[in-house]
Amino acid sequence: SDKNMARLFFAIDLPQELKNQLELLQKMCPFSGRPVSPHNFHITLLFLGEVSRHQLEDILEAIEIPAIKPFQIELNQFAYFPKAEVGCLEVAPSKQLIELHQHINRNLKQAGIHIKQSSKPFRPHITLFRDATVQSEITQTVDFELGVDHFCLMESQFNQKGVYYEVIEEWPTYE
Ligand code: 2AM
């Protein structure tokens, strides 16, 4: 891989306790396929793709602290994205979550940082399985909650063990 490039995305990281709960859920959810390593569980806010180390500096400078008071995210439903073959937990797109997504988009745009915009609408989720198939009709619901008071820039790395996401910077959502 090119040492000068990094595969980056903005995300909400999850506390270890929730990761542990989701790891248990992963073992009894309606999907089969390639389980995502619990370390990597997250909610993508904006995918950037391959970015040069130089652009990374600009991105870090571009991000301002928004004024989004701490909020809760509800996790209730499983979802299957057939094209991506992803089995996930759906995140209800609250007003604050959409605002956070738009804030990052706006900050990058204002700094003249061009990113390849996804043509797909923002559909927040936590991926549990890749190359997934649905085992049965999804009727099971769950009841998890996540408090959000910060967001991250993450780097997707690759080693012998596979894909590994690392937090490279963190911002609060509110001063
Ligand atoms: P996924 O979990 O639905 O696969 C790191 O790759 C993160 O960025 C993953 O959460 C992945 O979403 C998301 N991602 C990867 N490629 C993407 C793309 N082209 N557009 C939007 N999100 C993408």
Side-chain angles (χ1 to χ4, degrees), residues 82-93:
K83 250 182 128 178
E85 296 183 305
V86 157
C88 62
L89 262 184
E90 189 126 55
V91 174

Side-chain angles (χ1 to χ4, degrees), residues 7 9 42 44 47 86 118 120 125 127 130 165:
R7 184 179 168 88
F9 57 100
H42 69 279
T44 298
F47 181 72
V86 157
S118 172
K120 291 165 235 153
H125 60 275
T127 297
R130 300 193 182 281
Y165 301 148

Side-chain angles (χ1 to χ4, degrees), residues 2-3 11 40 46 70 100 114 125 156 171:
D2 189 340
K3 280 251 184 309
N40 285 346
L46 191 71
L100 188 52
H114 177 78
H125 60 275
S156 173
W171 296 266

Side-chain angles (χ1 to χ4, degrees), residues 35-58:
V36 171
S37 156
H39 168 88
N40 285 346
F41 289 155
H42 69 279
I43 302 169
T44 298
L45 288 167
L46 191 71
F47 181 72
L48 298 178
E50 296 288 325
V51 165
S52 72
R53 297 285 165 191
H54 172 77
Q55 283 174 295
L56 170 58
E57 293 300 311
D58 294 343

